[in-house]
Amino acid sequence: MTLVSRMDQKFYPNFADNWDDLLFRQRIESHLSSDSVVLDVGAGAGIVEAMHFRGQVAKMCGIDLDPRVLENEKLDEGKVANASEIPYDDATFDVVFADNVMEHLDNPMATFGEIYRVLKPGGVLLFKTPNRSHYMPLIARVTPHRFHQFVNRLRGRDAEDTFPTLYRANSKTQVAAIAAASGLELDQVELVEGRPEYLRMSFVTYSLGLMYERLVNASDTFARFRILLIAVLHKPAS
C-alpha cells in the first residue's frame, strides 16, 4: 500500500475516486424521472462514468466540440456543437447539466442564454465547476496550458482530455449575474471541499492539502475558498 493510499484511508475513508462526480450525480438524480429529456453539455467521449443516465431517463442527449461525442455509447443522441449554439429546438429539455464545463467557456452569457432557450418552462440547469477562489483555479490562471496537461497526466488523465480554462462563470457572484441576465433563476450554490485531489502526490503536498481542507471546512466564513461549486438554476414556469 502506498503512502497516499494510507493517508486516504486514515483521513478520507469514505471518499471514493471521483467523489466529486458521484456527489454531482446525486444532485442531478434528484431532478430526474423516467420521463425526463436530458442534455449533457460537454458530454465528450463519455469518460466520466458517474454522468451516465441513459436508460434511466426518456432520452439522453449530449453535445460537445469533441467529435468523439458522436461515438459516446452512453447517449441516445450526440451532436458536435458549441454550447453557445445548441442545435435543439426551444423548450426541448427537462434537465440540462454540465460537469466541469463552465470553466472553459469564453462566452458564458451566450451559453446560459442557449440553455434557457432549450429548457422547458420549469426545467432545471445543474452544473459543477471549480470555484475560482480556490488555490487550484488561482494557480491555473497564472500557468500555461501545458502545465495543466502535465498535472493531469500525473493524475491519470490523458492530455487530449485537458482543455484550456478561463473561469468566467466560476463564482457565486458571477453565476448570479449571468443567470439574472439570461432569464434563469438561481436556486442554490453549494461550495464543497473534500479530499485534496490535486495534492495527493506526496506526503508533503498531501499534508498541505489536508490542512487547507480542515481550515476551509472549519467555518462558513471560509466557504468561498472551497474547491467545488455546484449550482442549481431553473427556467421560470410562466
Side-chain angles (χ1 to χ4, degrees), residues 27-28 30-31 37-39 93-97 115 119-127 184 187 231-235:
R27 303 299 184 265
I28 296 170
S30 69
H31 294 276
V37 181
V38 182
L39 177 65
F93 298 103
D94 299 288
V95 174
V96 174
F97 70 83
I115 291 172
L119 275 174
K120 297 176 183 178
V124 176
L125 164 65
L126 305 97
F127 64 85
L184 292 165
D187 297 326
V232 183
L233 307 92
H234 75 275
K235 180 176 180 175

Side-chain angles (χ1 to χ4, degrees), residues 165-183:
T165 50
L166 297 169
Y167 299 104
R168 294 175 179 171
N170 293 78
S171 71
K172 185 174 182 178
T173 300
Q174 288 177 323
V175 173
I178 297 168
S182 68

